[in-house]
Amino acid sequence: MAKFLTRNKGFITFMLCMIMFRSAVADWNVVPTGSMQPTIKIGDRILVDKAAYDIRLPLTHISLLHLADPQRGDIVVLDSHAANERLVKRVIGLPGDEVAMRSNVLYINGHAASYALGSYSGIHDDLKNPAHYEIERYGDMRHAIRLSVNWPSPTSSFGPAKVPAGQYLLLGDDRDNSMDSRYFGFFPRNEIVGRSRYVVASLDPQHHYLPREHRFGAALD
């Protein structure tokens, strides 16, 4: 064992550094579901900036240095205890906000978001579950949402609910096909491990996992 470690100490050091880097600074995450369509497509590999909000002790959720807090509209990655899995969602409600939804119209602190028609193609789910797209705007937040034509979510209306201190209300952009705060409740700040703003790479599962070259490096709104 000692000889093995001596011969391979360079490689072992490199691997340990990579593990520490991916744990505390930046990583990439495969998105296997459509809950963030059309912003994030199934098969996208997104860059996760793990130093966006905190510098954490590697391999833990312990914050060593607080840098910032998630802002409304951020796409965040979290290790959810309630969902028992890693999730990718959008920040909608900040601590202290009162949030409600009426037939997929979002209200924050009593003010409704505005909506404009959007047009998106290449969403495979539209073949079996037709949808229409809208651009949702509230303050500085602007992004596309997907709404099912035939199967609206039973949670398309909720609230009003006030977001507690230290917690966030997160929703998926595919509003009728997302397990989010409407099912799991508010998400604690310490479960949020990073922010995503770019696609690293993308493979299309509907076409033999061929690369979607046009999505490599694409910005996420």
Side-chain angles (χ1 to χ4, degrees):
M1 177 61 72
K3 290 183 179 180
F4 173 83
L5 294 176
T6 300
R7 285 197 302 265
N8 296 278
K9 63 181 181 181
F11 175 75
I12 293 171
T13 301
F14 171 76
M15 291 303 297
L16 288 174
C17 289
M18 282 298 297
I19 291 171
M20 296 300 104
F21 180 85
R22 292 185 63 176
S23 172
V25 181
D27 197 2
W28 58 272
N29 196 77
V30 178
V31 180
T33 68
S35 69
M36 283 295 292
Q37 294 183 126
T39 309
I40 302 176
K41 294 188 176 183
I42 299 173
D44 280 352
R45 276 69 173 160
I46 59 174
L47 178 66
V48 182
D49 180 0
K50 291 191 172 182
Y53 306 124
D54 297 276
I55 301 299
R56 298 178 184 266
L57 184 67
L59 305 178
T60 76
H61 283 191
I62 299 173
S63 176
L64 300 176
L65 179 64
H66 174 80
L67 300 176
D69 286 315
Q71 299 299 303
R72 196 185 332 276
D74 284 359
I75 296 173
V76 296
V77 177
L78 64 150
D79 291 328
S80 169
H81 176 75
N84 196 32
E85 63 178 328
R86 175 160 287 194
L87 301 176
V88 181
K89 303 296 176 185
R90 189 181 296 276
V91 176
I92 298 296
L94 304 177
D97 282 345
E98 185 178 79
V99 184
M101 187 176 285
R102 297 288 179 263
S103 299
N104 276 320
V105 174
L106 183 66
Y107 292 81
I108 302 176
N109 298 323
H111 300 285
S114 64
Y115 296 85
L117 289 178
S119 179
Y120 291 84
S121 60
I123 306 297
H124 187 266
D125 286 355
D126 288 350
L127 298 177
K128 293 183 178 180
N129 180 15
H132 68 277
Y133 297 88
E134 296 187 8
I135 307 300
E136 182 175 77
R137 293 183 176 89
Y138 182 91
D140 294 332
M141 180 177 71
R142 179 187 182 279
H143 59 269
I145 60 172
R146 181 178 185 268
L147 301 171
S148 175
V149 173
N150 298 321
W151 295 294
S153 170
T155 59
S156 59
S157 295
F158 70 84
K162 188 169 184 177
V163 184
Q167 301 192 49
Y168 293 82
L169 189 145
L170 310 180
L171 298 178
D173 289 351
D174 193 342
R175 290 290 163 79
D176 294 318
N177 182 34
S178 176
M179 299 292 287
D180 46 40
S181 283
R182 294 171 290 179
Y183 295 89
F184 299 121
F186 304 112
F187 293 99
R189 167 70 172 80
N190 62 7
E191 291 186 348
I192 297 174
V193 299
R195 178 182 64 205
S196 183
R197 289 181 171 174
Y198 298 97
V199 176
V200 177
S202 183
L203 304 179
D204 189 347
Q206 301 299 326
H207 293 89
H208 309 289
Y209 291 92
L210 291 174
R212 299 186 185 105
E213 295 181 1
H214 66 285
R215 290 194 62 76
F216 284 40
L220 298 174
D221 295 326

